[in-house]
């Protein structure tokens, strides 16, 4: 399978040949080999020698939009709709508040748009931020199972906030259907792409998504704490009223004007001075996508997760683990989550034996598959070592 894998050669673009089977790229992507050299150049030449001139001459000032346009190609968005900066948490705040404001600016229905629906299994930060955003905008949050989201969106809904792929189970949620249902009801959807961007085609423009946010340190390999991004569909941009209108989003930032006038386009999602070092590390990391199609990545991702499930069945004692990741391809992201007794201890033992995934309380082993650098041999080894750990640990756990 590795011999016929069209993406096999891309692995050389990453620093991963250390004898460790790394299946945690859904938490922190591996280091692309081009990043250290580029960072040395940024620090020594752009910062060290050019200093303040680099804001213009090295393209620092426009980096958030430039890198946003690069990410846009991976999530099915045309140029001018994605801006990079801040964390996913902060971008969830901007998107939810702005989406509520847009929903409420529309002609009122027979009932007030007073609720924000939140994916009941969401990554916690999205729920915490949405709850605060709801209080600030005079709406209420209601948790809804993501599979029921399309049916639950109604005339009272201002906004639905949904994780495209569930961080724990790896379940892929229905972006086209949920978005269409929201639009039919006059509501908007904010998609969190943390576990889908870089792993599968998202099609934001094709499905007329409203807002999307995502991080860049998982499948986009931008490095620890790399800045996140915000997508605002072009038609909504004139209505986008950011709750964090910092000077970087001003129509003329260097006028240093006392009153705020928003810039047009994705720039409106900026807040303050961008974190240039992290942002340029991300830009260098995105070069690994040169010549790679996201469709090919998806195809390999499904083959990797299928093969892992097959190997687990072969190597792991019957009944020792149970997959909570959907078997259907249409509902699967790029990870496999296995429920297992003593999962925390099992993952410590796997890591000690050179197979790195992660553990989510109370009983989930998570294995992320990054098609750019995960090989089929990695997958077989991970399942085999898991089988060994569960065989020797049996009775002890
Ligand atoms: C990883 C992840 C986040 C992380 O948010 P940060 O602000 O970068 O810490 C948020 N949402 C989801 C769904 C995630 O998977």
């Amino acid at each position: 399978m590795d011999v016929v894998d069209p993406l096999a050669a891309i692995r050389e673009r990453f620093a991963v040949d250390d004898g460790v089977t790394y299946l945690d790229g859904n938490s922190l992507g591996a280091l692309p080999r081009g990043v250290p050299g580029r960072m040395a150049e940024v620090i020594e030449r752009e910062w060290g020698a050019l200093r303040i001139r680099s804001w213009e001459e090295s393209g620092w000032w426009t980096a958030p939009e430039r890198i946003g346009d690069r990410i846009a190609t991976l999530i099915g968005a045309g140029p001018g709709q994605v801006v990079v900066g801040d964390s996913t948490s902060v971008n969830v705040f901007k998107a939810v508040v702005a989406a509520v404001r847009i929903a409420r600016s529309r002609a009122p229905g027979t009932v007030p748009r007073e609720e924000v629906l939140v994916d009941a299994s969401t990554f916690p930060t999205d729920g915490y931020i949405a709850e605060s955003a709801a209080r600030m905008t005079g709406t209420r949050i209601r948790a809804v199972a993501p599979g029921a989201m399309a049916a639950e969106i109604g005339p009272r809904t201002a906004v639905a906030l949904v994780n495209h792929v569930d961080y724990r189970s790896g379940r892929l949620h229905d972006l086209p259907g949920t978005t269409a249902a929201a639009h039919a009801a006059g509501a908007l959807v904010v998609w969190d792409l943390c576990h889908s961007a870089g792993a599968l085609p998202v099609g934001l423009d094709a499905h007329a998504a409203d807002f999307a946010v995502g991080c860049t340190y998982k499948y986009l390999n931008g490095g620890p704490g790399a800045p996140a991004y915000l997508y605002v569909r072009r038609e909504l941009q004139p209505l986008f009223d950011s709750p964090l209108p910092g000077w970087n989003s001003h129509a003329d930032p260097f006028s240093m004007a006392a009153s705020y006038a928003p810039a047009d386009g994705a720039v409106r999602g900026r807040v303050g001075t961008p974190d240039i070092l992290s942002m340029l590390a991300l830009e260098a990391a995105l070069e690994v996508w040169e010549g790679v199609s996201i469709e090919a990545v998806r195809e390999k991702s499904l083959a990797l997760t299928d093969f892992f499930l097959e190997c687990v069945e072969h190597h792991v004692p019957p009944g020792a683990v149970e997959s909570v990741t959907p078997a259907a391809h249409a509902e699967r992201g790029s990870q496999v989550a296995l429920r297992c007794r003593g999962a925390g201890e099992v993952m410590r033992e796997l890591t000690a034996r050179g197979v790195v995934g992660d553990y989510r309380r109370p009983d989930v082993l998570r294995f992320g598959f990054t098609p750019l650098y995960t090989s089929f041999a990695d997958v077989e080894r991970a399942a085999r070592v898991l089988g060994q750990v569960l065989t020797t640990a049996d009775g002890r756990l």
Side-chain angles (χ1 to χ4, degrees), residues 97-181:
V97 172
V100 170
R101 288 175 175 174
I102 291 173
R104 290 210 158 156
S105 73
R106 292 171 172 170
T110 49
V111 291
R113 290 204 185 268
E114 62 195 2
E115 61 177 23
V116 172
L117 303 186
V118 181
D119 171 342
S121 48
T122 183
F123 186 92
T125 203
D126 303 54
Y128 306 157
I129 300 268
E131 198 278 332
S132 176
R135 264 189 293 136
M136 290 177 56
T137 54
T139 51
R140 298 181 267 107
I141 64 165
R142 180 159 70 88
V144 169
M149 193 63 81
E152 291 286 332
I153 293 171
R156 292 186 188 280
T157 310
V159 175
L161 170 63
V162 193
N163 290 186
H164 192 201
V165 171
D166 186 275
Y167 76 101
R168 188 191 299 270
S169 67
R171 179 179 292 275
L172 170 62
H173 299 132
D174 178 11
L175 185 147
T178 308
T179 302

Side-chain angles (χ1 to χ4, degrees), residues 26-27 86-92 119 121-126 129 162-168 192-196 213-218 225-228 360 366:
N26 54 341
S27 206
D86 309 310
S87 62
T88 302
S89 303
V90 171
N91 284 306
V92 166
D119 171 342
S121 48
T122 183
F123 186 92
T125 203
D126 303 54
I129 300 268
V162 193
N163 290 186
H164 192 201
V165 171
D166 186 275
Y167 76 101
R168 188 191 299 270
D192 185 325
L193 309 179
C194 281
H195 283 270
S196 58
V213 301
C215 65
T216 62
Y217 49 78
K218 294 171 183 166
R360 288 292 175 265
R366 270 193 342 167

